[in-house]
Amino acid sequence: MKTTCFFFILLLSLPLWVFSQQKANNLSISGSVEYIYKIPAEKKIYKTAFLSFNDSVSKFVHNRVDEESTIKNNVNSNGGNINVNFNVSDTKGSIVYRNFNNKEIRIRTAETRKLFPSFFYDDIWKEITWEIKGKTKKIASFTAQKAIGTFRGRTYTAWFTEEISLPYGPWKLYGLPGLILEAEDSEKMFGIKFVSIKYPCEDCEVDFEKPTASEEKTLKEYVEFRDNYNDHVFRKMKSRLPREIARNFRKGPQKANGRKYRDEKVFEWETESVNDKKD
């Protein structure tokens, strides 16, 4: 019985031992997690996504050309709907890149083909205050713990495992004492589900360099672009029409959803502005 317990404890300790040994020997640790990613939208959009990581960088990728997704946009003209399919994907994909040594976070948005080029912006390294709960559950072979945290206007329930004691997570969620395997916001708009993992991964060929793109935006320019996305689409399409047609091209009524279907609903400078008015 004692022998059985010893081997059981040894088995549980093996991932942490591998991690510490590789760190001690200055070897790069790498792994890759596959998720199903539900994006906030009026109609449910599910995508395949991958989180790749080494001992200091995490890289969350979706909208890669081999996992191409299509977003439908409607523009109204003279009472008729023009339905256009915009493929949001390219060979690099949309990326959330974090460098934990330098506390850098860069976001790359994939090309909206036939409409907008790819672009990137550098985000703010914002700490998420998590409250770890006592509840646990099994996700695949892992024991996961529950945690609740708030980030930019949404409250998230995350499930993480200390069996992989790395502070990484999907999208912009991070900072727990173990890898985040699953997460959902309180409105059930955002969702992430664990599919599979390779860790440690000796054959994972991942470029952990900071991503680049065709254009660069500031964070505030990105927020303006997302807030007024339909206007940007309309202007871009109108600019490509013959002058005679463009003259009568009109934008139809838009739903006043604000940021209801956005993953980020409130930004830091907006919170500061509200607080300043209260003072």
Side-chain angles (χ1 to χ4, degrees), residues 154-200:
R154 290 192 182 276
T155 299
Y156 294 91
T157 296
W159 294 88
F160 69 97
T161 179
E162 290 184 309
E163 293 169 46
I164 302 177
S165 55
L166 298 169
Y168 305 150
W171 184 59
K172 295 183 181 181
L173 303 180
Y174 80 109
L176 282 162
L179 182 69
I180 297 174
L181 301 177
E182 189 175 297
E184 185 177 54
D185 80 301
S186 58
E187 297 178 37
K188 299 188 183 302
M189 291 282 188
F190 171 99
I192 199 88
K193 294 283 188 181
F194 173 84
V195 176
S196 64
I197 186 170
K198 293 181 180 179
Y199 176 78

Side-chain angles (χ1 to χ4, degrees), residues 76-81 245 248-251:
N76 185 281
S77 175
N78 294 329
N81 286 325
I245 298 175
N248 297 316
F249 196 63
R250 298 289 182 270
K251 184 173 63 173

Side-chain angles (χ1 to χ4, degrees), residues 216-279:
E216 179 179 1
K217 295 182 186 291
T218 65
L219 174 58
K220 288 187 176 182
E221 286 171 343
Y222 161 74
V223 173
E224 186 280 329
F225 176 77
R226 287 295 307 274
D227 284 347
N228 301 288
Y229 183 75
N230 288 332
D231 290 336
H232 286 284
V233 170
F234 177 78
R235 288 196 295 269
K236 179 69 73 170
M237 293 182 67
K238 186 174 181 179
S239 69
R240 295 179 178 180
L241 293 173
R243 184 176 300 176
E244 295 77 14
I245 298 175
R247 188 180 297 116
N248 297 316
F249 196 63
R250 298 289 182 270
K251 184 173 63 173
Q254 303 294 317
K255 293 182 180 180
N257 290 324
R259 293 175 182 167
K260 179 180 178 180
Y261 300 112
R262 294 275 298 281
D263 42 21
E264 296 165 297
K265 298 170 73 174
V266 181
F267 291 85
E268 291 71 30
W269 60 88
E270 295 167 336
T271 304
E272 291 167 3
S273 177
V274 170
N275 291 335
D276 289 342
K277 289 179 181 178
K278 287 181 180 179
D279 294 339

